[in-house]
Amino acid sequence: MRIRIVDAFTDRPFSGNPAGVLLLTGAQAFPDDTWLQNVALEVNHAETAFAHPLPEGAEADWALRWFTPATEVAMCGHATLATAHVLHTTGAHEGPVRFATRSGVLVATPAGDGSVTLDFPTAPLTRVDPPDGLAEALGTDPLTVLDTGPNVGDLLVEVADEKTVHGLAPDLKALAAHSERGVIATARAEDPARGYDFVSRCFFPNVGIDEDPVTGSAHTALAPFWSERLGRAGLTGLQASARSGRVRTELRGDRTLLTGSAVTVIEGDLLA
């Protein structure tokens, strides 16, 4: 079968967040979980997406699952964007595509400029006290700490400023003790004239990802947090990893729209 590596939330190769994508065309079910996990480990990117078409009349068009090199996850934005990009650029699906996932039915809608908008559930945010040791693990004092709910599974941590976000060098082993998946560190943009409203970095040691380059699911928590602070439903976030990428967000109550582009950089045959 064909396997592709797609850079998501970017319009340039070798930036954004790379994901493996396998379309299991003609499949009636997913292969054995061990095989799926082994492929994801072999690809060794933050996520590998596996999708197969569903029969006419089903609740969705394609079934979709996501695996890190270490485990399956409940929700992934960049690998969903990458999968939608492959479906549309190869002609495997036209127009909006509905994905049946562990997080419910997620819809990806392509635009004429090549971007894709994802319709994801908004993360429920609950303010919590900073856990003991979090400041030491992260390397800075948190201003605000919120739990992001079961689909995202992170702590959302507001820090002093954008410079602090860029300079973080956390103790990842210590950080792993504080949440199910990891920690989202964020701050308001120093200069919105640069084209983004807030900045973030995401550290996910509990799923085998030290730092994720650009995280769609994290923006389902970042969008409501910053929309309330900044008083606007539509925002742009910069994820300030080494590869970097931007996510346009629009808060619609219990749903969040995430918009970005993608580029296929590698295509080949999976022989195993």
Side-chain angles (χ1 to χ4, degrees), residues 16-244:
N17 200 350
V21 178
L22 283 89
L23 301 183
L24 308 167
T25 54
Q28 297 301 310
F30 287 106
D32 178 80
D33 285 6
T34 300
W35 183 85
L36 297 173
Q37 188 64 72
N38 282 337
V39 171
L41 180 58
E42 188 78 9
V43 171
N44 203 33
H45 284 311
E47 305 284 351
T48 298
F50 302 88
H52 71 77
L54 293 172
E56 188 174 347
E59 65 170 352
D61 306 301
W62 290 73
L64 177 62
R65 295 171 69 181
W66 314 278
F67 286 77
T68 77
T71 190
E72 183 173 9
V73 298
M75 186 167 67
C76 179
H78 86 277
T80 304
L81 174 59
T83 305
H85 169 79
V86 170
L87 287 169
H88 296 130
T89 55
T90 62
H93 189 92
E94 295 183 0
V97 55
R98 300 168 300 161
F99 293 112
T101 78
R102 289 174 58 180
S103 297
V105 175
L106 307 176
V107 180
T109 303
D113 63 359
S115 66
V116 175
T117 296
L118 308 176
D119 182 339
F120 271 41
T122 300
L125 301 181
T126 305
R127 189 159 181 160
V128 298
D129 293 330
D132 291 340
L134 176 62
E136 292 78 8
L138 192 58
T140 191
D141 290 327
L143 300 182
T144 309
V145 181
L146 300 104
D147 181 86
T148 60
N151 284 339
V152 177
D154 298 327
L155 285 183
L156 175 61
V157 180
E158 181 189 11
V159 300
D161 50 31
E162 180 175 342
K163 181 180 179 181
T164 300
V165 174
H166 284 281
L168 290 174
D171 179 338
L172 294 168
K173 184 176 180 180
L175 206 64
H178 295 296
S179 67
E180 181 181 346
R181 182 174 70 166
V183 169
I184 307 163
T186 188
R188 185 179 303 206
E190 180 180 315
D191 181 7
R194 294 175 180 169
Y196 55 92
D197 301 290
F198 59 88
V199 64
S200 67
R201 288 174 67 192
C202 295
F203 307 100
F204 303 143
N206 286 334
V207 293
I209 303 166
D210 288 348
E211 181 172 2
D212 198 35
V214 192
T215 315
S217 59
H219 283 76
T220 67
L222 290 162
F225 179 78
W226 286 113
S227 288
E228 181 180 0
R229 294 289 186 93
L230 301 177
R232 287 182 285 125
L235 301 170
T236 298
L238 170 71
Q239 193 155 331
S241 65
R243 292 176 63 99
S244 187

